[in-house]
Amino acid sequence: MAAAAHQVSAVIFDLDGTLLDTERATRDVLTEFLAAYGKVPDAGEEEKRLGQMYLESTTGIIRDYGLPLTVDEYSKAMYPLYLKRWQKAKPLPGVKRLVKHLHKNGVPLALASNSIRRNVDHKLPKLEDWGKCFSVILGGDQVPNGKPSPDIFLEAAKRLGANPSSCLVIEDSVVGVKGAKASGAKAVAVPSLQNQRNHYYIADVILYSLLDFQPEMWGLPPFEDRIQGVLPIDPLLSNARIGGKILNNIHWVISDDCAYEYIPDQISGIFLGWAKSKVHGFSKVIVATGWDFSQQTVERVMHVHFLDCSGTVETEPVKLLIIGYIRKLQR
């Protein structure tokens, strides 16, 4: 094995959008809240708020939508709505595997979030037993300045007993990546917003999901958990409608909310799974899914290769169960 390009002694994770899919779980909260004031969220403005400190984000929302509320009044009204949605947040693909692997191999781990510590504590139970792998947990209100300031990463490194330059930060937001680089750490970006991938250029590595993370790149012990070239993953469900045939038994999936309702935005690559339809029953499938950046609007794309199904399946509703990761897409 070739020598690693970087030698890392500790790893620092962001929480929202990196470990937990909280963005998806809370996606409609602001829409529902603003509707009571006759307002509609501006998608562009809300994308800019990704990863911001709570006070900065809240102040901006009140200002941009002209809400007749103080920061405290807004917070009290929104908190129970978010608290309910956080309970639906699920770990993102690859994170549990990575955290447990690093902890098992004695790599010090920290969690550093721009969320205030009270909110972090409410989300920690969603990390299940592997939440205990983090020896340091910090909220944005525990340091002088939140991301993109480097303060939280410098403090995390200090508490881990590591030099910031020997730390690796894993982040989903641009402000988080900026803060990590400002601290002197290396940064891996796993963008939450696929249409903003070009904004993450300062990261050392940009991934679609942590299923593609290679520990050996950073001088860390490699994974050894693939079975005949396939990485078992927590099952992902898709209620898909099969479109026209591309080649042989390969079909494209009609893109709608049902197809991706339970598929995180970070999912991209070649996967193994099963398909079930009323007409053809069960079939083993290879699923290729990712993002099309060739158009002005970035869109999700999914193709399904039916390995043992004959006959037409076009326009047929199909339940897809994705159970294994094979590799990333070739670009």
Side-chain angles (χ1 to χ4, degrees):
M1 183 182 297
H6 309 286
Q7 294 294 324
V8 165
S9 62
V11 180
I12 303 171
F13 289 84
D14 175 49
L15 177 59
D16 297 300
T18 301
L19 294 178
L20 288 178
D21 199 2
T22 46
E23 272 81 3
R24 176 181 288 263
T26 60
R27 190 167 286 173
D28 297 327
V29 170
L30 184 61
T31 301
E32 294 174 7
F33 183 79
L34 290 179
Y37 295 89
K39 310 285 185 177
V40 177
D42 182 304
E45 290 299 320
E46 296 315 312
E47 287 181 359
K48 294 176 185 177
R49 278 188 255 275
L50 181 67
Q52 287 184 349
M53 285 288 292
Y54 181 76
L55 181 59
E56 180 184 7
S57 174
T58 300
T59 303
I61 289 172
I62 293 172
R63 178 192 64 242
D64 293 346
Y65 298 110
L67 299 179
L69 301 169
T70 65
V71 169
D72 187 53
E73 290 170 338
Y74 176 87
S75 299
K76 287 181 178 178
M78 289 292 280
Y79 186 68
L81 303 180
Y82 276 110
L83 191 61
K84 182 178 180 180
R85 296 296 183 91
W86 289 334
Q87 308 313 309
K88 298 180 180 179
K90 295 182 179 181
L92 283 157
V95 299
K96 178 168 65 174
R97 171 201 187 210
L98 176 56
V99 170
K100 284 192 168 185
H101 173 76
L102 296 176
H103 180 68
K104 178 182 177 181
N105 285 280
V107 180
L109 303 177
L111 190 159
S113 172
N114 251 3
S115 292
I116 60 176
R117 181 57 191 263
R118 179 185 70 166
N119 293 350
V120 171
D121 289 340
H122 277 301
K123 300 166 191 174
L124 286 178
K126 302 301 295 182
L127 302 185
E128 302 167 348
D129 62 318
W130 50 278
K132 299 176 183 178
C133 296
F134 297 97
S135 57
V136 172
I137 297 175
L138 289 170
D141 56 337
Q142 294 180 276
V143 292
N145 301 289
K147 308 168 191 176
S149 161
D151 290 0
I152 197 165
F153 299 117
L154 294 173
E155 181 64 23
K158 178 182 177 182
R159 296 193 186 192
L160 288 172
N163 189 307
S165 63
S166 70
C167 290
L168 176 66
V169 174
I170 301 178
E171 270 279 357
D172 76 299
S173 70
V174 173
V175 296
V177 171
K178 288 180 177 179
K181 297 299 291 182
S183 74
K186 300 298 181 184
V188 170
V190 190
S192 289
L193 300 173
Q194 301 304 319
N195 62 347
Q196 301 289 321
R197 287 182 73 83
N198 60 320
H199 294 172
Y200 291 79
Y201 59 90
I202 62 172
D204 295 279
V205 174
I206 304 174
L207 304 176
Y208 278 98
S209 81
L210 287 177
L211 294 172
D212 291 322
F213 185 85
Q214 297 177 292
E216 58 271 27
M217 271 189 63
W218 310 96
L220 299 168
F223 290 118
E224 296 178 349
D225 53 356
R226 284 182 175 262
I227 301 174
Q228 297 181 343
V230 178
L231 171 64
I233 64 172
D234 290 335
L236 298 170
L237 178 67
S238 173
N239 294 307
R241 285 191 301 131
I242 303 301
K245 182 182 292 187
I246 300 172
L247 178 68
N248 297 327
N249 281 337
I250 302 177
H251 294 254
W252 57 274
V253 170
I254 297 172
S255 185
D256 57 26
D257 292 339
C258 292
Y260 301 107
E261 183 177 0
Y262 304 107
I263 307 292
D265 292 348
Q266 292 86 339
I267 282 294
S268 175
I270 309 294
F271 295 84
L272 177 68
W274 293 92
K276 180 185 178 182
S277 69
K278 290 183 178 180
V279 177
H280 295 91
F282 287 95
S283 173
K284 187 180 293 185
V285 293
I286 300 294
V287 178
T289 184
W291 294 82
D292 181 3
F293 297 96
S294 65
Q295 307 299 321
Q296 187 172 3
T297 301
V298 178
E299 295 183 353
R300 298 190 81 165
V301 178
M302 184 185 293
H303 296 160
V304 179
H305 183 187
F306 293 87
L307 298 179
D308 48 13
C309 177
S310 59
T312 179
V313 292
E314 293 180 26
T315 71
E316 186 178 345
V318 170
K319 289 186 179 295
L320 296 175
L321 186 67
I322 299 171
I323 59 173
Y325 179 59
I326 300 174
R327 63 170 174 81
K328 62 183 179 181
L329 295 171
Q330 301 298 327
R331 300 291 177 182

